[in-house]
Each structure stands twice: as structure tokens, then as C-alpha cells.
């Protein structure tokens, strides 16, 4: 997976100035420019809260978009949208050891849902929640409060809650489907060390250096010379900090 950025941010992410490795800033989702996606996620969150019990652990932990921050990673080939939106310096990672889903504290595979279909999408999940949760007391009455079947129902419900929260924080409007995005979502709560940049809240998220496998400087045919100088500069920068990643130049739009 890849993270696109500019040169200044790339050096900041890889500076390793505190000895903890790669450092991303997970800014509050509320501070980002994905307004449509935020509204979609908040709508879904509001709907599932109407039918989930108030003690639901993940809902309490993550709250809403204002109480969470995220970092984006992409898969697939580079395209003009990514370069324009995020920058032409591509950090490449092998993140197979991170895990998938909120429960695993891992990555979320974003799901592309047209806003016109969001209400139907949410209805299906709300119906599934109600059915699953209402089956628990029925099973307790029929098989006993501590029967294996009841515990299985409780386990299923917890996993379903995790799946729903993954969907809430992984919703994307369909027009951005070319990004093929994964997100790492982190709670901004009392337990987190919240920092501020231009009055925008964020927390620092660290990755081990071993996950960085490569860096690509993407350029147009007429800027290849400057891109190679940048690549050499980056190569020296990461070498001084004991990164093992390779650095290369890729010409885009031939």
C-alpha cells in the first residue's frame, strides 16, 4: 500500500526525530475536506445508534467523526487524481502485519456507496442489528442465560458491531472509487495525547521502519532531471536514519 504526500511532509514523516520510527499525524476527520464522505459516515452512525444498545463498546470508544482521526493508504496504480490531491512522493509499505478492521486496530477497506443508496444501505444494517440483538434474550429464555448458544449469539453480535463500525468509518462516495483507499482510524479521546496544528486536533501514529519498502518520486517526462535530484536527496536522508527502503523515479503520463 502507498501513502502519497509532498516532499516536506515526507521528510517529517520519516524524520525519526524521537526514535520511534515513522510518524504520521492522524488529524480529526472533522478537519478534512471529504465533506460528503463525512456526512455519509455520520448519517450511518446516527442510524445505527438508534437501534444499537447504548452500552455498545465500539460506539462509546470512537464516538463520531469529531472524536476520531484517520490516515489514508492507497492500493493500485498511480493516477492523476492521486498526484493532484495528495502529492507526487509515494511512500510504499508492506502492511500485511497490521491487520484489518477496527477490532484488530488495523486497516479499514473503504466501501464505495452512492449517496443516493445510503439510506437503503443503512436500513439493511439496522434491520440486521435489531434481529441479532433481539435474538439474545430469546435464546437466554429458551436455553439458559449462560448456555453456549447464548454466548455464541453475544459473540456474533459483537463481531457484527465491529463490522458496522468498520463500515461507518470506511464509507466513501462512489466518485472517489478510483482511490481504492484503506484507512487507519484512531480515537481522539481522553486517553489519547491530543496535539494541535493550526487549531486542528490530531494524534501521532507510529509505524516501525521495517514496514517501509520503497519510495517513488513520480514526475512528468520533462521534470525527470529534477525528480532524480529529489530521489538522490531522499535516498541520503533515509540512509542517515537507517531505513532500508529503495528510492526510484517513475515517469507518469508518457
Amino acid at each position: 500500500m502507498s501513502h502519497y504526500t509532498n516532499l516536506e511532509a515526507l521528510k517529517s514523516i520519516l524524520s525519526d526525530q524521537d526514535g520511534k520510527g515513522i510518524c504520521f499525524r492522524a488529524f480529526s476527520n472533522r478537519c478534512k475536506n471529504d465533506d460528503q464522505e463525512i456526512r455519509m459516515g455520520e448519517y450511518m452512525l446516527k442510524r445505527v445508534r438508534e437501534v444499537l444498545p447504548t452500552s455498545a463498546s465500539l460506539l462509546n470508544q470512537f464516538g463520531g467523526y469529531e472524536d476520531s482521526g484517520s490516515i489514508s493508504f492507497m492500493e493500485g496504480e498511480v493516477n492523476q487524481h492521486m498526484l493532484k490531491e495528495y502529492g507526487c512522493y509515494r511512500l510504499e509499505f508492506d502492511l500485511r502485519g497490521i491487520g484489518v478492521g477496527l477490532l484488530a486496530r488495523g486497516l479499514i477497506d473503504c466501501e464505495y456507496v452512492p449517496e443516493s443508496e445510503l439510506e437503503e444501505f443503512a436500513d439493511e444494517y439496522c434491520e440486521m442489528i435489531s434481529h441479532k440483538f433481539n435474538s439474545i434474550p430469546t435464546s437466554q429464555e429458551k436455553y439458559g442465560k449462560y448456555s453456549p448458544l447464548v454466548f455464541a449469539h453475544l459473540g456474533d453480535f459483537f463481531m457484527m458491531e465491529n463490522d458496522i463500525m468498520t463500515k461507518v468509518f470506511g464509507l466513501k462516495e462512489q466518485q472517489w472509487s478510483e482511490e481504492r483507499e484503506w484507512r487507519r482510524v484512531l480515537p481522539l479521546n481522553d486517553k489519547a495525547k491530543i496535539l494541535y496544528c493550526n487549531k486542528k486536533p490530531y494524534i501521532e501514529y507510529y509505524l516501525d521502519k521495517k514496514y517501509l519498502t520503497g519510495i517513488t518520486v513520480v514526475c512528468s517526462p520533462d521534470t525527470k532531471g529534477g525528480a532524480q535530484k529529489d530521489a538522490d536527496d531522499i535516498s541520503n536522508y533515509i540512509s542517515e536514519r537507517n531505513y532500508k527502503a529503495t528510492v526510484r523515479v517513475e515517469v507518469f503520463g508518457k
Side-chain angles (χ1 to χ4, degrees):
M1 291 185 188
S2 303
H3 180 85
Y4 292 84
T5 187
N6 58 45
L7 184 58
E8 181 182 0
L10 179 149
K11 288 187 172 181
S12 176
I13 290 168
L14 303 180
S15 68
D16 194 29
Q17 58 185 348
D18 52 11
K20 293 183 178 179
I22 301 165
C23 180
F24 287 98
R25 289 180 173 182
F27 279 95
S28 168
N29 290 301
R30 173 57 67 192
C31 299
K32 298 183 179 180
N33 58 3
D34 312 15
D35 179 68
Q36 192 168 22
E37 295 173 8
I38 289 171
R39 286 188 289 107
M40 289 172 68
E42 288 187 330
Y43 173 82
M44 183 74 172
L45 190 65
K46 179 177 180 294
R47 289 293 308 281
V48 299
R49 272 186 158 148
E50 291 172 355
V51 294
L52 268 173
T54 56
S55 60
S57 59
L58 286 172
L59 282 170
N60 290 336
Q61 182 179 355
F62 281 90
Y65 272 80
E66 290 187 37
D67 300 319
S68 65
S70 62
I71 303 153
S72 294
F73 299 94
M74 311 294 181
E75 61 175 321
E77 297 299 317
V78 63
N79 60 51
Q80 190 63 50
H81 161 72
M82 290 182 187
L83 298 179
K84 181 179 178 182
E85 189 75 15
Y86 304 109
C88 59
Y89 298 87
R90 172 177 166 147
L91 298 169
E92 293 147 9
F93 299 96
D94 182 349
L95 298 178
R96 286 175 292 184
I98 297 295
V100 178
L102 282 172
L103 189 65
R105 296 284 185 172
L107 297 169
I108 293 174
D109 184 4
C110 295
E111 184 164 349
Y112 304 95
V113 177
E115 194 164 16
S116 59
E117 298 176 14
L118 184 62
E119 187 172 347
E120 181 181 354
F121 183 80
D123 282 342
E124 290 178 2
Y125 270 89
C126 289
E127 184 178 345
M128 188 167 60
I129 294 165
S130 297
H131 175 74
K132 181 64 70 173
F133 187 70
N134 290 333
S135 70
I136 294 173
T138 302
S139 297
Q140 287 177 325
E141 184 177 340
K142 187 173 182 179
Y143 301 105
K145 190 173 181 180
Y146 302 107
S147 71
L149 189 62
V150 169
F151 280 109
H153 275 295
L154 288 168
D156 289 346
F157 182 75
F158 181 73
M159 294 303 294
M160 185 180 64
E161 182 194 350
N162 176 67
D163 181 62
I164 290 163
M165 292 304 291
T166 299
K167 293 292 189 296
V168 167
F169 287 101
L171 278 174
K172 284 185 71 68
E173 212 283 326
Q174 199 172 38
Q175 65 176 317
W176 304 116
S177 60
E178 61 187 296
E179 289 183 355
R180 295 176 65 186
E181 182 183 3
W182 293 70
R183 293 182 187 146
R184 176 73 176 87
V185 178
L186 302 150
L188 299 177
N189 54 30
D190 294 339
K191 296 178 182 178
K193 182 182 178 183
I194 300 176
L195 305 169
Y196 290 86
C197 178
N198 297 325
K199 298 183 179 180
K200 297 179 179 180
Y202 71 92
I203 61 174
E204 293 179 336
Y205 171 64
Y206 293 94
L207 271 176
D208 193 291
K209 290 180 180 180
K210 67 182 181 183
Y211 289 117
L212 182 70
T213 58
I215 301 172
T216 298
V217 182
V218 184
C219 66
S220 60
D222 58 331
T223 60
K224 188 175 180 181
Q228 187 59 58
K229 289 181 180 178
D230 283 347
D232 293 340
D233 177 36
I234 293 168
S235 183
N236 291 331
Y237 185 84
I238 65 171
S239 177
E240 291 171 357
R241 289 158 179 79
N242 298 316
Y243 287 93
K244 307 301 181 186
T246 57
V247 182
R248 66 188 183 95
V249 172
E250 179 181 327
V251 179
F252 180 77
K254 292 180 182 180

